[in-house]
Structures are given as C-alpha cells and as structure tokens.
Amino acid sequence: MHKIKKLIEKLPFYDCIVLPYHWLKSFFAAVRYCFPGRKLHVIGVTGTNGKTTTCFMIWKMLNEAGYKTGLMTTVAWGGVSGREKDLHEQVEHMTTVSPKMLNHRIKTIRKAGAKYLVLEVTSHALAQYRILGVPIEIAVMTNVTHEHLDYHKTFERYRDAKRKLFKKGKFGVINADDKSCEFFKKDIGKYATYGIKNGENRAKDVKMGISKTKYSCGDIKMEIKMPGVFNIYNSLAAICVGKRLGLTDEQIKDGISALEGVEGRTTSFDEGQNFDVMIDYAHTPDAFEKLLPDIKKATKGRLIVMFGSAGGRRDPSKREPQGEIAGKYADVVVLTEEDDRDTPGMEIIEQIAVGARRSGKKDGKDLFFELNRPKAIALSLKMAKKGDTVLFLGKGHEKTIERANGEEPYYEPYEIKKALKRLVDK
C-alpha cells in the first residue's frame, strides 16, 4: 500500500488533485463553524523546534496579564483560565489537527470567553490549508532546520511552507540567528527580531543551570524554570509578542516566569535517586545540537542519553546525524525504538549507530542497543551513578507508541517513574 501511495505521489498531476481537495476540505470546515477564528486575535507559532514551549510561554504570559487566551498545541488545547489543570489533553498524533476539529476547538475556545488564541502551526498544516479562514495577527518563527523532508522532499519546500504563515500575518516575530531569517522578513511588512547573537531583542548576561535559566533582554531581567539555550530563544519570542501587544516589562517577566514547565519538555524526575533524570521531546538533529551541550555542561558526572528515530514514512536521513551529535556530547548512548511503525527497529537503530560510532562510541562500551523502550529506560537508569544525568529523548508527552501492529498505549513519564521506583526501592 505504501509503495502504491509513493507512485501516486510522483504523478505530475498529483498536486492538482490533492491540494484543491485540502483547500475545499478546510473551506467547508470553516464555513460549517462560521469562521470562528475571525472573532479572535490569533498568534500563530511555526518552526522546526520550540513551537510548543513558545506557545505555552505566550499563553501563560497573556493570561497572567489579564488577557483571556486560549491555546492549541501538540500537547494540549483550551485553557482560557490560564491554569494548566484546565487544559484538555491533545491525544492526536499531530500538532495542527484536521480542519473540522481545528474549527470546532477554536469555536469552543471562543465560547469559553477567549479574546486571544495561541496556535501552534506545522508545515504540513500550512501546505494543506488547514488554517484557511483563520486570520493571523502575529506570526512567530522559532527556527527552520532539517525535518519532514519525507513529505516536503526538499528543505526549500519545507521552509517555504512555513513562510505561508507570515504571508497571512500582520506582524512577524523572527529568530534573527536562524539562517532563514531574511526569507521570513520578505514575507511580512512589520516585524520584530530576536536572538543571542543578532536581533533587536537580545539575550545577554546568560546564566544556565540544570533546572532554570537567567538572562537580561534590555530592561527585562528574565528567569525561566527551564534549562537550555533553546528555551532562551523560546522566551525571547514570547517577549517580542508581549511587547507587540503592549504589555509592560513587569507583565512580560512575571508572565513567562510563571510557567512551571511543559509536559515532556525538559521535565525532571525525582524519586529519591542520587542522579538527575530528565525527559524531552527533542527528535531532530538541530534539537539535539541545542539541548545536549547545555545539559552536558550542567552535569557533574556522566551524561547518559537514550533515544530512537521514527520509522514508517518518516525522514531517514536525520538518523545518522542524530547518532553523531548524541555520541559527541553524551558519555553513554542507548538506542531504542521510537514509533518504528512498519520499519524493522534494528534497521533504524543500526542507521543511528553509524553516526554514534563516527563520533567515537564503541558497541558494548558506551553504545548500547535495546529495542524494547521500557527495557531501554531500565538499562539507562541502571547504569547511572551519583552526579550523572540520564536524558530520555523523542517521546516526551505522547500517550502512545506506534509499532508494526499499530498504536499501543505508552507514556514515557510513567515508565520512567516506575523504573526509578524499582531502582530506588532495591
């Protein structure tokens, strides 16, 4: 079936049929729900990495400042109260849901009293017109790096799909340190830029720890309860949105700082063990490159990293780079399954291992294979000693794992806590 689909996609008239179908599907969904997005101030966030956390930071900041704001992300949706406990769980294995569900949820959020909406938007959603009829007041770009080439075929097509958000937007917020910055500037009349090296809103006097980060941006003295340089970028994007909407420096600072964390994003676990344990959704080479150096610097002992790479129709070209980057920064690498789908798990693992070996890792010494993910978690934790950090990557908040026989229930935080308790209780 997959081979037949691939052949159909190569036909010269494929886009002529499929794209109008997506457009019509989105149009009728918007009509059915009376274009609910038109009654909201919508902030759309796109990019390869950091979208979800950036959305949560903006959502928290606006609600803390008294702006009734809804949220739609990979992790959760709803939340007009501004309280995490009132959010609805996002169970779908996708970020921007189908046009029908998207419009239904926007209408639900609006009926709950929202005036603003923070919407996470993927390249797939933009290419398939899923947010047709949703006006974008502020478009945010976090970064654009290697991802989803299985669908878009080339990096340029992937980048240009994301640019569609800015062509819809009235005002842009752009990562000035990203190589694609200039392309996004061309797509929108007014914009603000941010970064660490470049941009009008820059982070300075950076101090990073294993659980929090401090920096200054102009007169704003920021402290976020999440580690990593990537979270500096995420919060800088939120700062730009706050400034655009007229929030005071104090409202921006207090609002972003009020966010305790995002499920599955640099989340720590403490069951009484004498080493650090953390989970993150990072699953691209760029996310690895941004996360691992900071965690390594903050770790007193060894850094043990466990991850896999998606199978099925997902982009296989990222696997070797993932392995090489992990091998470069981690002292121990454990490779396992991660939504292998119909691709043999050991085939994926071996492709990742090529990169890990290139960075100097040796099988059985500091490079280990365990296809079963819960067993790989137990193996990683068993190797940890006092002062080490064990980092689990790729699954984050997700509630299922996709294997050859379909989706099965799986929640990584539960598996980690269970394995930790067994270890500590021994």
Side-chain angles (χ1 to χ4, degrees):
M1 191 72 186
H2 175 49
K3 289 181 179 178
I4 295 170
K5 186 177 183 296
K6 293 274 283 185
L7 286 170
I8 293 171
E9 286 175 350
K10 289 180 180 178
L11 293 173
F13 52 81
Y14 176 76
D15 282 351
C16 298
I17 298 171
V18 176
L19 293 182
Y21 163 75
H22 284 307
W23 190 94
L24 287 168
K25 188 178 177 183
S26 298
F27 175 75
F28 286 119
V31 169
R32 178 178 177 179
Y33 290 97
C34 302
F35 293 89
R38 289 181 178 175
K39 297 181 175 74
L40 293 167
H41 301 280
V42 182
I43 300 150
V45 180
T46 195
T48 306
N49 301 306
K51 297 187 297 295
T52 302
T53 303
T54 301
C55 284
F56 266 84
M57 287 177 171
I58 295 168
W59 167 77
K60 192 68 174 179
M61 173 185 69
L62 292 180
N63 274 302
E64 289 289 311
Y67 293 67
K68 283 195 168 293
T69 306
L71 178 72
M72 290 179 68
T73 73
T74 310
V75 172
W77 71 277
V80 177
S81 67
R83 296 190 298 265
E84 284 83 345
K85 67 178 183 178
D86 294 333
L87 288 165
H88 302 288
E89 185 181 321
Q90 164 82 324
V91 295
E92 294 77 17
H93 241 268
M94 62 197 309
T95 297
T96 313
V97 292
S98 67
K100 181 181 175 182
M101 188 178 290
L102 179 130
N103 280 277
H104 171 70
R105 288 181 177 177
I106 291 176
K107 189 169 184 176
T108 302
I109 287 168
R110 183 173 59 79
K111 279 188 172 182
K115 301 298 181 186
Y116 290 79
L117 170 65
V118 185
L119 177 65
E120 185 174 352
V121 189
T122 62
S123 58
H124 286 72
L126 289 161
Q128 295 173 6
Y129 305 104
R130 278 185 227 163
I131 61 167
L132 182 74
V134 179
I136 303 296
E137 186 163 317
I138 302 176
V140 180
M141 183 271 268
T142 59
N143 49 63
V144 186
T145 61
H146 184 113
E147 179 69 323
H148 298 308
L149 300 193
D150 52 298
Y151 179 81
H152 297 286
K153 310 306 178 190
T154 68
F155 174 79
E156 288 72 25
R157 287 181 65 178
Y158 170 58
R159 178 197 64 210
D160 291 347
K162 291 191 173 297
R163 291 173 64 189
K164 290 182 179 182
L165 184 71
F166 278 66
K167 290 172 182 176
K168 284 173 65 73
K170 295 178 182 177
F171 184 83
V173 172
I174 305 167
N175 182 349
D177 289 343
D178 191 270
K179 292 178 181 177
S180 297
C181 172
E182 295 303 321
F183 289 95
F184 286 82
K185 284 181 179 179
K186 292 175 185 176
D187 295 324
I188 201 156
K190 296 179 181 179
Y191 57 81
T193 57
Y194 66 92
I196 295 174
K197 298 175 183 175
N198 304 292
E200 62 214 54
N201 298 279
R202 286 192 212 180
K204 296 181 179 179
D205 306 318
V206 175
K207 294 177 183 177
M208 283 188 284
I210 196 74
S211 60
K212 64 182 179 180
T213 306
K214 295 180 180 181
Y215 69 90
S216 61
C217 177
D219 294 329
I220 302 174
K221 307 296 181 184
M222 280 301 311
E223 180 175 324
I224 51 176
K225 298 180 178 74
M226 287 170 270
V229 68
F230 54 95
N231 279 318
I232 295 175
Y233 281 103
N234 296 338
S235 56
L236 283 168
I239 288 172
C240 291
V241 172
K243 286 185 175 183
R244 174 64 181 176
L245 294 177
L247 272 64
T248 66
D249 288 354
E250 201 69 21
Q251 286 175 317
I252 291 170
K253 173 182 174 292
D254 292 345
I256 298 172
S257 298
L259 183 66
E260 294 292 334
V262 179
E263 184 187 6
R265 270 69 175 172
T266 54
T267 304
S268 296
F269 298 83
D270 186 356
E271 298 295 333
Q273 76 277 3
N274 60 0
F275 53 87
D276 291 309
V277 177
M278 187 178 290
I279 186 175
D280 194 77
Y281 189 55
H283 58 277
T284 67
D286 179 68
F288 279 28
E289 191 65 66
K290 285 187 169 71
L291 174 66
L292 296 181
D294 293 334
I295 302 299
K296 177 63 178 173
K297 285 177 191 173
T299 299
K300 294 176 182 177
R302 299 173 305 159
L303 175 59
I304 300 167
V305 178
M306 187 208 82
F307 67 99
S309 193
R313 295 185 295 276
R314 302 311 189 268
D315 182 10
S317 65
K318 69 178 184 179
R319 293 170 190 160
E320 280 189 34
Q322 281 178 297
E324 188 167 4
I325 295 164
K328 178 182 175 183
Y329 295 108
D331 297 287
V332 179
V333 174
V334 179
L335 302 180
T336 187
E337 63 178 323
E338 182 194 306
D339 298 322
D340 293 348
R341 299 180 176 91
D342 56 356
T343 306
M346 287 309 298
E347 179 184 310
I348 296 172
I349 284 174
E350 185 53 42
Q351 289 171 344
I352 303 170
V354 171
R357 293 183 189 118
R358 190 182 299 128
S359 67
K361 293 292 178 277
K362 306 289 184 185
D363 294 24
K365 182 185 177 184
D366 46 19
L367 177 61
F368 299 90
F369 310 133
E370 174 50 69
L371 186 56
N372 180 274
R373 196 161 178 115
K375 288 182 180 178
I377 288 171
L379 172 64
S380 303
L381 293 172
K382 191 177 179 180
M383 287 190 282
K385 299 175 182 177
K386 185 177 181 179
D388 290 349
T389 297
V390 186
L391 183 60
F392 300 103
L393 302 177
K395 290 299 293 176
H397 67 285
E398 293 181 343
K399 305 301 187 293
T400 61
I401 190 164
E402 294 186 61
R403 296 181 170 125
N405 57 344
E407 286 191 8
E408 297 178 18
Y410 177 86
Y411 187 47
E412 192 129 297
Y414 169 77
E415 297 294 340
I416 293 169
K417 287 179 181 179
K418 186 171 70 172
L420 269 174
K421 284 178 181 176
R422 278 200 305 263
L423 195 65
V424 172
D425 291 344
K426 274 187 178 180

